[in-house]
Amino acid sequence: MTRQIWLNLPVKDVAKSKAFFSKIGFSFNEEHDTPNSTCMLVGDGKFVIMLFEENIFTDFSQNKLTDTKASSEVLISIDAESKEEVDSLAQKVQEAGGNVFAAPAESRDWMYGCAFADLDGHRWNSLFMDFSKLPK
């Protein structure tokens, strides 16, 4: 049976992507680094996101890349412990060179979040969810 799931993302420059994600608070398992890839760890469960340079990614996937300026293939969602954490992440993304395309705001009376694109245009959102306000 499957024990883990990893997400693989194509990037133009592994070093620049690693610097960006480090600045916004993600960590890395450098034992798995190569000149063309890095192993990013997300959250307490250390969810693995492998960042591969585009030519390596297309060799694995045997498919063309999505043009992230024109379309999205995935939205990667990460949770936050508070509204302040969402605000802080949005600020870090801007300072690191990412694009916050949806500023932090309330949504549906029980969620607070923001959405951003990383250096390669992959779309992410961060949400604080107050389940005590969830409609019954």
Side-chain angles (χ1 to χ4, degrees), residues 83-100:
K83 292 179 180 182
E84 294 77 20
E85 189 174 337
V86 170
D87 293 341
S88 175
L89 179 64
Q91 182 66 37
K92 289 176 186 177
V93 166
Q94 288 180 320
E95 291 171 358
N99 174 31
V100 176

Side-chain angles (χ1 to χ4, degrees), residues 3-9 26-29 32-33 38-52 76 124:
R3 295 179 303 182
Q4 284 187 312
I5 184 169
W6 303 331
L7 180 66
N8 299 300
L9 288 177
F26 292 170
S27 62
F28 293 83
N29 180 349
H32 297 291
D33 277 7
T38 191
C39 178
M40 186 165 67
L41 305 173
V42 180
D44 295 340
K46 300 199 183 321
F47 183 86
V48 173
I49 298 179
M50 294 296 298
L51 305 177
F52 289 100
I76 305 164
W124 300 71

Side-chain angles (χ1 to χ4, degrees), residues 94-113:
Q94 288 180 320
E95 291 171 358
N99 174 31
V100 176
F101 62 86
E106 295 282 342
S107 174
R108 297 191 175 100
D109 298 325
W110 62 278
M111 292 188 292
Y112 183 85

Side-chain angles (χ1 to χ4, degrees), residues 19 26 30 34 63 66 70 72 132:
F26 292 170
E30 294 181 347
T34 74
N63 209 353
T66 297
S72 297
S132 70

Side-chain angles (χ1 to χ4, degrees), residues 3-22:
R3 295 179 303 182
Q4 284 187 312
I5 184 169
W6 303 331
L7 180 66
N8 299 300
L9 288 177
V11 299
K12 288 177 180 37
D13 185 308
V14 167
K16 286 182 181 177
S17 291
K18 187 173 180 180
F20 170 80
F21 285 110
S22 292

